[in-house]
Each structure stands twice: as C-alpha cells, then as structure tokens.
Amino acid sequence: MAEQFDYKRAVAELNAKITGTEVAKVGLLTPLSLPGDLVAGELITKGVLLAVEYLRSSGLLRDNLDIELVVENDQALAAEEGMKKSVVAGFAKLAQIDKVIAILGQWHSRTAVEAVAISAKLDVPMFVQSGYDNFTKLGYRNIFRTYSTVEDRMFVMLDFLKEQGYQRIACVASNTDFTRLVADDLDQVNKDGNYGFEIMRVEFDQETATDIKPELQKVMDFKPDVVLNDGVVRTNYLVIQQAAEIGLLPTTPMVTIFAYPTRTSDFWKEGGEAAEKLVWASLLYRPGYEGLSNIGTWFTDTFRERYGINPPNSALLSFAHMLFIGQGASKAKDLTREALIDSLESNEFESWIGTVRFGQTGDHLHHSPSPIVLMQYGEYKQDLKDAKVVYPKEYATGSYRK
C-alpha cells in the first residue's frame, strides 16, 4: 500500500463515537509493524473498524449496547523478544489489563499457537484467522474459526491437480511453522487421499533468503508438472521472481494455498506478469459474487469506497469475526466472557454469506468455514472482482488457464 495506515487515529475516532450505556470491550491483536505481515494487519484492522460501524448502524446490537475497540500490535516487542513472546505479552495485556471480553485478529500461524494456548488458559473467547489444522480439534470452548484449515485446502488443491493429469509436484517451502505445515500436509494428504503424486521438496530460510535460485534449479531438474509456492510474506514473491529469472515460470504451472493474490496492488507489483496464471485457494468470495448477503455487499462496497481497493480475504474474515462477537454480546445474558461463549454456541448470526452457527462439525468444534475454491486471474493486472473460480466445477465461473 502506498501510505501506511494510521490505525491508532482510526481507532480513537471510532471509540469517540461510543453512545451506548453498556460497552463491550473487544481486543484486536494483529501484526501492525515489521517483522510481521504489516499489510495483513492493516487489512484486518480495516475490516474490524467497518464491522463496528455496521453493528452500530444496522440494528444488530441491542438497545444501549456499544463496542469499544482496543488494538494491540502483536509485533510491538518482536525485535527484542521475538514474535512469539510479543504475541503472548500483547494477549496478556488485552485480557488482564484491558479486560476485553474477546480477542480477534491473530494472523501468523507461527504465533497463533501461543495465542490459542494462552487464550485457553485465561478462558478468553478468541476468533483465530489461521489455517493451522488442530486449533478447532482441541476441544477448547473459547476458540472459534471461520477460516478453512490447511488440510482442507490441500485436499481441494490435490483433487484439482489430479483432474489436470499432473503427476509430479515440486514444493518450494520456507521454514516457518506455517510453511512447514503446508509442506507436511502436502505429503500427508497425498498419502491419505491415495493420490499417488510424486513429490519433491526444497526448503530455504525465511528470514535470510535472498537468492533461492540454487533450490529452484533443483526443482527444474526434477521436471515437475506443477510447483507449489510455499513461501510467505516476501518469500512468496521471491519464489515467483526468481522462478521467472531462471525460466521455471511461466512454462511450469504454479499454485499456492495462501490467498495473497487477493491483495491485488501488492500482488501485481511484486509478482509481475510472471504471476499472471498463479492458482490460489480461497474463500468462495470476490466483490460482486452473487452469493453475497446484503451485509457482504455493504462491506465490499464500503471498503472499496473508503480505502480504494477491493477487500481481500483477510479483511473479509476480520469483518465477519467482529460481527459475530458483536452479535454474540448483544444476545448474551451479560457482558462476561462465559456468557459470550454461551451465546456464540447457542445462536445464529448474520454474516457476509448468510447465517452462521458454531457447533461441532466432525472433529472440529466452533469451526464454520465457507466453501473452498481455487481462483485465477484472467489477465495481467486484473482486479479481484474479475478473478475467476476455476475449481470445483459447481462453483466455477471460468476455465483454468495453463
């Protein structure tokens, strides 16, 4: 983004408009400086701000109830203490000093594990925005999620690659908790689903890598049918850029299960024409999607008018999570954390795609994701609203471009 978002000012302006006599204090813990994913944190914050605006104006809050937002940069201590300790400190502040009734906005899988652990210990309701497979399998009543797991996305991706007749997959992975989870799930899902893919994996260091051409040359020597780009925040684009430099792109198809292509301004700037045919796993969402509820249409239109871009998945999810917390508080018997959990478990809630409930689904508790689809742009510098769903067939709006 061209200009850094002044989140402190935006939050202060939002809270200055509190009018209710009852106030539900909600914590947003998200990356708002480096070394975290600053872009994701800003988008998540914008989604939450719009959700509070919508809750206040739509009648979804009961009479005299209002929302106060408390924002904590989960990277505030990262330079001195590391990202994980910084997240734990931020969570503890929100829970024990600010005494929020719920927390949302956790983005990084490498820190979300610690956030979920302290959340369960302190019994704070938490909406997590990470695809880590086990979070909603642990039986914690206070953990909620509407984002698909890495494992679920991998099954959809491998179904698609099998349908294309591909047999050899090269996984180019950095060494974060998230990217190792992706690479491990690739192997495990390939085995569990009896897909029979031949898989090779190369790994590089997320923090120090600037030249991964030797690793990419090994990929070229393997002669894959498709490459899984398993980088994050900077290295995802490093894979694209250097794959193009050595000729791996655009001749070899590339896929990813991380929906960063929905951040169009950064995607086209950093990925360039070499990224034009990248396929990514996504929510069943894009601006103009016919399945959007009135709430979803309001959000996409307002976000675009306010910030000049179409909202990507990260902003949409944080918007939805704040809506659920607000509605849950409105339907709760009081503004305690336990009452909020009871309310979230026992009620239906309005969202961008219709009504949502949080119960037990298979092995997961409080896990209510939208359908998973694979998307692709039709041309260089295309807008998100024009991206096509290429798989599964029942949701497809365009054909896969090889």
Side-chain angles (χ1 to χ4, degrees):
M1 295 183 178
E3 184 177 329
Q4 185 167 333
F5 176 56
D6 187 350
Y7 73 90
K8 293 181 180 179
R9 177 179 176 181
V11 171
E13 291 175 350
L14 183 83
N15 289 338
K17 297 176 182 177
I18 292 173
T19 58
T21 55
E22 287 187 286
V23 178
K25 190 180 289 189
V26 178
L28 174 60
L29 182 67
T30 204
L32 288 162
S33 64
L34 298 174
D37 188 346
L38 170 62
V39 174
E42 291 183 355
L43 291 166
I44 287 167
T45 303
K46 290 172 180 177
V48 172
L49 291 169
L50 288 185
V52 176
E53 286 188 30
Y54 188 84
L55 285 164
R56 288 173 174 172
S57 63
S58 64
L60 289 177
L61 294 179
R62 67 173 183 249
D63 290 346
N64 298 318
L65 178 63
D66 213 330
I67 304 292
E68 179 183 352
L69 186 62
V70 184
V71 179
E72 188 71 20
N73 174 16
D74 71 16
Q75 301 298 299
L77 303 176
E80 299 83 12
E81 302 289 340
M83 291 176 67
K84 294 180 180 182
K85 288 185 178 180
S86 183
V87 165
V88 170
F91 197 105
K93 174 186 176 295
L94 289 171
Q96 297 178 308
I97 297 176
D98 298 310
K99 299 189 182 304
V100 300
I101 65 166
I103 291 175
L104 73 163
Q106 257 313 275
W107 176 251
H108 293 294
S109 290
R110 69 185 102 166
T111 60
V113 172
E114 284 71 25
V116 166
I118 190 173
S119 174
K121 182 178 180 180
L122 298 177
D123 205 24
V124 179
M126 177 180 174
F127 276 83
V128 64
Q129 229 169 292
S130 166
Y132 195 87
D133 295 335
N134 290 331
F135 284 157
T136 45
K137 290 183 178 180
L138 299 172
Y140 296 148
R141 283 191 67 222
N142 64 302
I143 300 299
F144 298 82
R145 176 166 59 183
T146 63
Y147 195 32
S148 59
T149 67
V150 170
E151 180 183 44
D152 289 342
R153 281 176 263 169
M154 193 62 73
F155 272 108
V156 174
M157 183 64 76
L158 294 193
D159 283 344
F160 168 72
L161 298 180
K162 191 74 173 179
E163 187 175 289
Q164 301 309 312
Y166 298 149
Q167 297 178 339
R168 297 162 67 86
I169 303 174
C171 177
V172 183
S174 68
N175 60 352
T176 70
D177 291 351
F178 173 76
T179 50
R180 283 179 168 164
L181 170 66
V182 171
D184 290 345
D185 274 2
L186 171 62
D187 289 331
Q188 191 62 49
V189 170
N190 184 45
K191 178 181 177 181
D192 292 346
N194 295 312
Y195 289 99
F197 289 110
E198 185 179 352
I199 297 171
M200 72 93 69
R201 173 176 172 178
V202 294
E203 186 173 280
F204 58 88
D205 184 66
Q206 170 69 24
E207 301 302 325
T208 62
T210 57
D211 181 5
I212 58 171
K213 289 191 283 293
E215 288 83 358
L216 291 172
Q217 186 58 55
K218 292 178 183 177
V219 169
M220 288 193 73
D221 294 341
F222 176 67
K223 295 185 167 78
D225 297 312
V226 62
V227 174
L228 173 61
N229 183 337
D230 190 19
V232 290
V233 192
R234 182 186 72 85
T235 61
N236 49 353
Y237 294 119
L238 187 67
V239 172
I240 294 171
Q241 294 159 358
Q242 296 193 357
E245 288 176 21
I246 69 169
L248 185 59
L249 282 178
T251 56
T252 306
M254 184 173 285
V255 298
T256 181
I257 59 106
F258 173 24
Y260 58 87
T262 61
R263 309 177 192 174
T264 49
S265 57
D266 297 294
F267 180 67
W268 293 124
K269 177 183 176 183
E270 301 295 336
E273 291 187 63
E276 181 183 330
K277 295 182 180 180
L278 184 75
V279 172
W280 70 92
S282 177
L283 306 171
L284 179 57
Y285 158 77
R286 59 179 173 79
Y289 165 55
E290 295 79 2
L292 288 177
S293 66
N294 290 337
I295 292 174
T297 300
W298 179 91
F299 172 67
T300 55
D301 290 348
T302 305
F303 194 100
R304 185 170 54 249
E305 291 168 6
R306 186 78 52 86
Y307 302 116
I309 60 171
N310 283 304
N313 288 359
S314 51
L316 179 72
L317 286 167
S318 66
F319 173 78
H321 292 169
M322 186 65 243
L323 285 185
F324 299 143
I325 292 170
Q327 291 175 82
S330 191
K331 296 178 180 182
K333 65 179 181 180
D334 56 47
L335 295 182
T336 62
R337 294 167 181 170
E338 182 62 29
L340 176 58
I341 292 172
D342 289 342
S343 178
L344 288 170
E345 286 185 326
S346 59
N347 289 292
E348 283 189 343
F349 304 102
E350 298 299 318
S351 182
W352 62 273
I353 201 169
T355 56
V356 171
R357 292 193 70 96
F358 295 100
Q360 183 81 38
T361 306
D363 294 335
H364 293 275
L365 179 65
H366 303 160
H367 180 57
S368 186
S370 68
I372 303 165
V373 297
L374 304 183
M375 300 187 71
Q376 186 182 42
Y377 288 113
E379 59 185 34
Y380 178 49
K381 290 191 175 180
Q382 194 169 52
D383 192 84
L384 177 58
K385 66 180 176 61
D386 299 315
K388 303 298 183 184
V389 174
V390 297
Y391 190 83
K393 290 180 180 177
E394 60 264 33
Y395 299 119
T397 59
S399 299
Y400 169 49
R401 303 170 64 222
K402 293 186 178 180

